[in-house]
Amino acid sequence: MDFSLSPQEEAFRKEVSDWLDENTKDLPAWWRNRDRIAVDSESEEFQVFSRQWHKKLYDAGFIGIAWPKEYGGRGATIMEQAIFNEEMAKRRVPGGVGGLGVGWAGPTIMAAGTEEQKKRFLPKILSGEEVWCQAFSEPEAGSDLANIQTRAVEDGDDYVVNGQKVWTTGGMRADWAILLAKTDFDPNTPRHRTFSYFLLDMHLPGVTVRPLREMTGYALFGETFLDDVRIPKNLMVGEKNRGWYISMGTLEFERSNASSSVGQLNVLKNLIELTHNMERDGRPLSKDSTVRQQLAQFYIEVNVGKYMGLRALTRQLRGDMPGPESALGSLLSMELSQRLQDFAMYLQGPYSQLVSGSKHAIENGSWQGSFLSSRGNTIMTGTSEIKRNIIAQRTLGLPRYTQ
Ligand SMILES: Cc1cc2nc3c(=O)[nH]c(=O)nc-3n(C[C@H](O)[C@H](O)[C@H](O)COP(=O)(O)OP(=O)(O)OC[C@H]3O[C@@H](n4cnc5c(N)ncnc54)[C@H](O)[C@@H]3O)c2cc1C
């Protein structure tokens, strides 16, 4: 593992820094503080701004940095992608609309899709013209993904799909979804060989998405209902009944995207600022020995996360998939993000119950929104228990748990 940057990488960092310094002067303050306030990502303002910002990044060649040139990417290395992500996070700059598409739907299509699918979908994922969502989870298939019940039945040139998905992030405004649906109905077939991986046009007749309101007050995700939706056969990714293997690759890409040590560092910096501004018994909290010990401990953990991220990156630079280690980085990052938010509540004591809009709320109640939304962090991309199972089985070689 080599932590130093090559001259080419240093030059790239400078190019990115210069561009970002020049182009982020006018970003609204609420964008920069997204890690401190729960933003209504479904609002018109958010959507319009995201698309405009995405286009700006795309026109400058900063979307899909590590994607091959033939698919519209920059053809740069994963290290350069990581440098770009770091410079963005340092400035608290948003990434555009294509997070899921660029992060894991596109890479899955690149790895397992047909040439026709690559040509049709990849350019529009990059340009942000088509926004993607992920329709994997169902009411009875979350951790137990092999229990997919949505049915896709062959009929002429199409599959006719019926069923219900849930927790579809951004489903209300997505143009396309990566979808898992059952295509083998023989009760004797092992469950992980009973479903296939599809690309679903969210604007087709029979697709309905109902928003689900979270405790933050915002509706980030929805329930997706599929009633006799006709998906052309050429929109299946990989072979029939091999959806399990392809979706495992998607989840590895997703988990490797989920850990950002720079994002955690930003939250830690906000916490440190809070301890300077709050007093107990006439002294700033930053002088309290218990508080200082905890902040130093967080700093250590943020750095552990950084080096785990670099290890996953080294693996990808060698041309491997992110691998089961992506569960390790993602687990650490997600649990740490909650502990950082919990500590902000602890520091505020009884004031932690005052939300945005309350007269005496600390820092305008901004921590309360991020505290509430962080509860989902140890569920999305697989729960902490599932990630520990992956680490136990695939990294430590422990036997599979059975009751
Ligand atoms: C913010 C957020 C965004 C999401 N976005 C999407 C999305 O865009 N698309 C999508 O398809 N899904 C999405 N999800 C759904 C997410 O993938 C599931 O919620 C997750 O996989 C858990 O499934 P579940 O909710 O059915 O819980 P369950 O699987 O029912 O789990 C319930 C509890 O049992 C535990 N458990 C289950 N099995 C085991 C086991 N074998 N060993 C030990 N413990 C176990 C779990 O850890 C958990 O604590 C999102 C979830 C959240 C919170």
Side-chain angles (χ1 to χ4, degrees), residues 43-76:
S43 71
E44 191 59 19
E45 187 185 14
F46 185 99
Q47 289 302 318
V48 170
F49 194 85
S50 298
R51 284 186 187 255
Q52 285 171 349
W53 176 240
H54 186 103
K55 184 160 185 334
K56 213 167 179 177
L57 288 171
Y58 174 72
D59 289 344
F62 290 137
I63 298 281
I65 289 171
W67 281 33
K69 281 191 178 154
E70 58 179 310
Y71 300 128
R74 196 182 173 107

Short mmCIF file of all heavy atoms in Angstrom, two decimals, residues 43-76:
data_model
loop_
_atom_site.label_atom_id
_atom_site.label_comp_id
_atom_site.label_asym_id
_atom_site.label_seq_id
_atom_site.Cartn_x
_atom_site.Cartn_y
_atom_site.Cartn_z
N SER A 43 -37.39 18.33 -2.40
CA SER A 43 -37.92 19.66 -2.73
C SER A 43 -37.49 20.08 -4.14
O SER A 43 -36.46 19.64 -4.65
CB SER A 43 -37.44 20.70 -1.71
OG SER A 43 -36.05 20.93 -1.90
N GLU A 44 -38.29 20.94 -4.73
CA GLU A 44 -38.03 21.41 -6.09
C GLU A 44 -36.66 22.12 -6.15
O GLU A 44 -35.87 21.92 -7.07
CB GLU A 44 -39.17 22.36 -6.49
CG GLU A 44 -39.22 22.75 -7.96
CD GLU A 44 -39.35 21.57 -8.92
OE1 GLU A 44 -39.77 20.47 -8.49
OE2 GLU A 44 -38.97 21.75 -10.09
N GLU A 45 -36.41 22.92 -5.10
CA GLU A 45 -35.15 23.68 -5.04
C GLU A 45 -33.94 22.73 -5.08
O GLU A 45 -32.99 22.92 -5.83
CB GLU A 45 -35.13 24.50 -3.74
CG GLU A 45 -33.97 25.46 -3.65
CD GLU A 45 -33.92 26.15 -2.28
OE1 GLU A 45 -34.61 25.70 -1.35
OE2 GLU A 45 -33.17 27.13 -2.16
N PHE A 46 -34.03 21.67 -4.28
CA PHE A 46 -32.94 20.70 -4.21
C PHE A 46 -32.75 20.02 -5.56
O PHE A 46 -31.63 19.88 -6.07
CB PHE A 46 -33.27 19.65 -3.14
CG PHE A 46 -32.18 18.66 -2.87
CD1 PHE A 46 -31.35 18.81 -1.78
CD2 PHE A 46 -31.99 17.55 -3.69
CE1 PHE A 46 -30.33 17.90 -1.52
CE2 PHE A 46 -30.98 16.64 -3.44
CZ PHE A 46 -30.15 16.82 -2.35
N GLN A 47 -33.86 19.61 -6.15
CA GLN A 47 -33.79 18.87 -7.41
C GLN A 47 -33.21 19.71 -8.54
O GLN A 47 -32.32 19.27 -9.27
CB GLN A 47 -35.19 18.38 -7.81
CG GLN A 47 -35.72 17.28 -6.91
CD GLN A 47 -34.80 16.07 -6.90
OE1 GLN A 47 -34.28 15.66 -7.93
NE2 GLN A 47 -34.54 15.53 -5.73
N VAL A 48 -33.71 20.94 -8.67
CA VAL A 48 -33.25 21.81 -9.76
C VAL A 48 -31.76 22.09 -9.58
O VAL A 48 -30.96 21.96 -10.51
CB VAL A 48 -34.07 23.13 -9.78
CG1 VAL A 48 -33.44 24.14 -10.73
CG2 VAL A 48 -35.50 22.84 -10.18
N PHE A 49 -31.39 22.41 -8.33
CA PHE A 49 -30.00 22.74 -8.08
C PHE A 49 -29.08 21.54 -8.35
O PHE A 49 -28.02 21.67 -8.95
CB PHE A 49 -29.81 23.24 -6.65
CG PHE A 49 -28.48 23.89 -6.49
CD1 PHE A 49 -28.32 25.22 -6.83
CD2 PHE A 49 -27.38 23.16 -6.09
CE1 PHE A 49 -27.07 25.81 -6.74
CE2 PHE A 49 -26.15 23.75 -5.99
CZ PHE A 49 -25.98 25.08 -6.32
N SER A 50 -29.51 20.34 -7.92
CA SER A 50 -28.68 19.13 -8.11
C SER A 50 -28.42 18.89 -9.59
O SER A 50 -27.32 18.55 -10.00
CB SER A 50 -29.39 17.88 -7.59
OG SER A 50 -29.62 17.97 -6.25
N ARG A 51 -29.47 19.04 -10.38
CA ARG A 51 -29.31 18.76 -11.82
C ARG A 51 -28.36 19.77 -12.47
O ARG A 51 -27.52 19.42 -13.29
CB ARG A 51 -30.67 18.76 -12.52
CG ARG A 51 -31.45 17.47 -12.22
CD ARG A 51 -32.74 17.36 -13.00
NE ARG A 51 -33.51 16.21 -12.56
CZ ARG A 51 -33.62 15.07 -13.26
NH1 ARG A 51 -33.04 14.95 -14.43
NH2 ARG A 51 -34.33 14.07 -12.79
N GLN A 52 -28.53 21.05 -12.07
CA GLN A 52 -27.65 22.08 -12.66
C GLN A 52 -26.19 21.84 -12.25
O GLN A 52 -25.27 21.94 -13.06
CB GLN A 52 -28.07 23.47 -12.17
CG GLN A 52 -29.32 23.97 -12.84
CD GLN A 52 -29.84 25.24 -12.18
OE1 GLN A 52 -29.38 25.63 -11.11
NE2 GLN A 52 -30.81 25.87 -12.82
N TRP A 53 -25.99 21.49 -10.98
CA TRP A 53 -24.64 21.25 -10.48
C TRP A 53 -24.03 20.02 -11.14
O TRP A 53 -22.87 20.00 -11.52
CB TRP A 53 -24.68 21.13 -8.95
CG TRP A 53 -23.38 20.80 -8.32
CD1 TRP A 53 -23.09 19.72 -7.58
CD2 TRP A 53 -22.16 21.57 -8.40
NE1 TRP A 53 -21.77 19.74 -7.18
CE2 TRP A 53 -21.18 20.87 -7.68
CE3 TRP A 53 -21.81 22.76 -9.01
CZ2 TRP A 53 -19.87 21.32 -7.54
CZ3 TRP A 53 -20.50 23.21 -8.88
CH2 TRP A 53 -19.55 22.50 -8.15
N HIS A 54 -24.87 18.98 -11.32
CA HIS A 54 -24.40 17.77 -11.99
C HIS A 54 -23.90 18.12 -13.40
O HIS A 54 -22.83 17.66 -13.83
CB HIS A 54 -25.54 16.74 -12.08
CG HIS A 54 -25.12 15.42 -12.61
ND1 HIS A 54 -24.93 14.32 -11.82
CD2 HIS A 54 -24.80 15.01 -13.88
CE1 HIS A 54 -24.53 13.30 -12.55
NE2 HIS A 54 -24.45 13.70 -13.81
N LYS A 55 -24.68 18.94 -14.10
CA LYS A 55 -24.31 19.28 -15.49
C LYS A 55 -22.98 20.02 -15.52
O LYS A 55 -22.12 19.77 -16.38
CB LYS A 55 -25.43 20.13 -16.12
CG LYS A 55 -25.15 20.43 -17.57
CD LYS A 55 -26.35 20.83 -18.35
CE LYS A 55 -26.06 20.99 -19.84
NZ LYS A 55 -24.71 21.32 -20.22
N LYS A 56 -22.79 20.88 -14.54
CA LYS A 56 -21.54 21.65 -14.48
C LYS A 56 -20.35 20.69 -14.27
O LYS A 56 -19.32 20.80 -14.94
CB LYS A 56 -21.62 22.63 -13.30
CG LYS A 56 -20.89 23.90 -13.53
CD LYS A 56 -21.28 24.93 -12.48
CE LYS A 56 -20.52 26.20 -12.73
NZ LYS A 56 -20.87 27.27 -11.84
N LEU A 57 -20.52 19.75 -13.35
CA LEU A 57 -19.45 18.77 -13.10
C LEU A 57 -19.21 17.91 -14.33
O LEU A 57 -18.08 17.60 -14.71
CB LEU A 57 -19.83 17.86 -11.92
CG LEU A 57 -19.82 18.47 -10.53
CD1 LEU A 57 -20.42 17.50 -9.52
CD2 LEU A 57 -18.40 18.83 -10.09
N TYR A 58 -20.30 17.52 -14.97
CA TYR A 58 -20.21 16.66 -16.15
C TYR A 58 -19.48 17.38 -17.29
O TYR A 58 -18.56 16.84 -17.91
CB TYR A 58 -21.62 16.24 -16.58
CG TYR A 58 -21.66 15.47 -17.87
CD1 TYR A 58 -21.21 14.15 -17.93
CD2 TYR A 58 -22.15 16.06 -19.05
CE1 TYR A 58 -21.24 13.45 -19.11
CE2 TYR A 58 -22.18 15.36 -20.23
CZ TYR A 58 -21.73 14.05 -20.27
OH TYR A 58 -21.75 13.35 -21.44
N ASP A 59 -19.89 18.63 -17.54
CA ASP A 59 -19.26 19.40 -18.62
C ASP A 59 -17.76 19.59 -18.36
O ASP A 59 -16.97 19.68 -19.30
CB ASP A 59 -19.93 20.78 -18.77
CG ASP A 59 -21.34 20.65 -19.36
OD1 ASP A 59 -21.65 19.57 -19.90
OD2 ASP A 59 -22.14 21.61 -19.23
N ALA A 60 -17.39 19.64 -17.08
CA ALA A 60 -15.96 19.82 -16.75
C ALA A 60 -15.22 18.48 -16.75
O ALA A 60 -14.01 18.44 -16.49
CB ALA A 60 -15.84 20.49 -15.39
N GLY A 61 -15.93 17.38 -17.02
CA GLY A 61 -15.28 16.06 -17.08
C GLY A 61 -15.05 15.43 -15.72
O GLY A 61 -14.17 14.57 -15.57
N PHE A 62 -15.84 15.82 -14.72
CA PHE A 62 -15.62 15.30 -13.37
C PHE A 62 -16.68 14.29 -12.93
O PHE A 62 -16.75 13.93 -11.76
CB PHE A 62 -15.56 16.46 -12.36
CG PHE A 62 -14.33 17.30 -12.49
CD1 PHE A 62 -14.41 18.68 -12.42
CD2 PHE A 62 -13.08 16.71 -12.68
CE1 PHE A 62 -13.28 19.47 -12.54
CE2 PHE A 62 -11.94 17.50 -12.80
CZ PHE A 62 -12.03 18.87 -12.73
N ILE A 63 -17.52 13.83 -13.85
CA ILE A 63 -18.45 12.75 -13.48
C ILE A 63 -17.92 11.48 -14.15
O ILE A 63 -17.60 11.48 -15.33
CB ILE A 63 -19.89 13.06 -13.98
CG1 ILE A 63 -20.43 14.34 -13.34
CG2 ILE A 63 -20.80 11.87 -13.71
CD1 ILE A 63 -20.94 14.22 -11.93
N GLY A 64 -17.85 10.39 -13.39
CA GLY A 64 -17.35 9.14 -13.95
C GLY A 64 -15.87 9.24 -14.28
O GLY A 64 -15.43 8.81 -15.36
N ILE A 65 -15.10 9.78 -13.37
CA ILE A 65 -13.66 10.01 -13.61
C ILE A 65 -12.95 8.70 -13.96
O ILE A 65 -12.14 8.64 -14.87
CB ILE A 65 -13.03 10.69 -12.37
CG1 ILE A 65 -13.54 12.13 -12.30
CG2 ILE A 65 -11.49 10.66 -12.43
CD1 ILE A 65 -13.17 12.86 -11.04
N ALA A 66 -13.29 7.63 -13.24
CA ALA A 66 -12.59 6.35 -13.46
C ALA A 66 -13.31 5.47 -14.48
O ALA A 66 -12.89 4.34 -14.72
CB ALA A 66 -12.43 5.62 -12.13
N TRP A 67 -14.39 5.96 -15.06
CA TRP A 67 -15.07 5.16 -16.09
C TRP A 67 -14.24 5.18 -17.37
O TRP A 67 -13.60 6.19 -17.69
CB TRP A 67 -16.44 5.78 -16.39
CG TRP A 67 -17.51 5.46 -15.40
CD1 TRP A 67 -17.37 5.28 -14.06
CD2 TRP A 67 -18.90 5.32 -15.70
NE1 TRP A 67 -18.60 5.04 -13.51
CE2 TRP A 67 -19.54 5.05 -14.48
CE3 TRP A 67 -19.66 5.39 -16.86
CZ2 TRP A 67 -20.92 4.85 -14.41
CZ3 TRP A 67 -21.02 5.20 -16.79
CH2 TRP A 67 -21.64 4.92 -15.58
N PRO A 68 -14.29 4.09 -18.17
CA PRO A 68 -13.54 4.09 -19.43
C PRO A 68 -14.03 5.17 -20.39
O PRO A 68 -15.22 5.52 -20.39
CB PRO A 68 -13.85 2.70 -20.01
CG PRO A 68 -14.45 1.90 -18.92
CD PRO A 68 -15.02 2.86 -17.92
N LYS A 69 -13.09 5.66 -21.22
CA LYS A 69 -13.46 6.73 -22.17
C LYS A 69 -14.55 6.27 -23.13
O LYS A 69 -15.41 7.05 -23.52
CB LYS A 69 -12.22 7.15 -22.96
CG LYS A 69 -11.33 8.08 -22.17
CD LYS A 69 -10.27 8.67 -23.05
CE LYS A 69 -9.42 9.64 -22.23
NZ LYS A 69 -8.09 9.84 -22.69
N GLU A 70 -14.49 5.00 -23.53
CA GLU A 70 -15.48 4.52 -24.52
C GLU A 70 -16.91 4.64 -24.00
O GLU A 70 -17.85 4.68 -24.79
CB GLU A 70 -15.18 3.07 -24.92
CG GLU A 70 -15.17 2.13 -23.75
CD GLU A 70 -14.91 0.68 -24.14
OE1 GLU A 70 -15.59 0.18 -25.05
OE2 GLU A 70 -14.03 0.07 -23.51
N TYR A 71 -17.10 4.70 -22.69
CA TYR A 71 -18.45 4.87 -22.14
C TYR A 71 -18.68 6.31 -21.67
O TYR A 71 -19.60 6.57 -20.90
CB TYR A 71 -18.70 3.89 -21.00
CG TYR A 71 -18.57 2.46 -21.45
CD1 TYR A 71 -17.75 1.56 -20.78
CD2 TYR A 71 -19.25 2.00 -22.58
CE1 TYR A 71 -17.61 0.25 -21.21
CE2 TYR A 71 -19.11 0.70 -23.03
CZ TYR A 71 -18.29 -0.17 -22.34
OH TYR A 71 -18.16 -1.46 -22.77
N GLY A 72 -17.84 7.22 -22.09
CA GLY A 72 -18.05 8.63 -21.77
C GLY A 72 -17.32 9.11 -20.53
O GLY A 72 -17.45 10.26 -20.14
N GLY A 73 -16.58 8.21 -19.88
CA GLY A 73 -15.84 8.60 -18.67
C GLY A 73 -14.54 9.32 -19.02
O GLY A 73 -14.24 9.55 -20.20
N ARG A 74 -13.78 9.62 -18.01
CA ARG A 74 -12.52 10.35 -18.21
C ARG A 74 -11.37 9.38 -18.47
O ARG A 74 -10.30 9.79 -18.92
CB ARG A 74 -12.26 11.16 -16.94
CG ARG A 74 -11.25 12.25 -17.07
CD ARG A 74 -11.06 12.93 -15.71
NE ARG A 74 -9.99 13.88 -15.75
CZ ARG A 74 -10.14 15.20 -15.75
NH1 ARG A 74 -11.34 15.72 -15.71
NH2 ARG A 74 -9.10 16.00 -15.78
N GLY A 75 -11.60 8.11 -18.14
CA GLY A 75 -10.55 7.10 -18.36
C GLY A 75 -9.39 7.26 -17.39
O GLY A 75 -8.29 6.77 -17.64
N ALA A 76 -9.63 7.94 -16.27
CA ALA A 76 -8.57 8.14 -15.28
C ALA A 76 -8.58 6.96 -14.30
O ALA A 76 -9.38 6.04 -14.41
CB ALA A 76 -8.78 9.46 -14.55
#
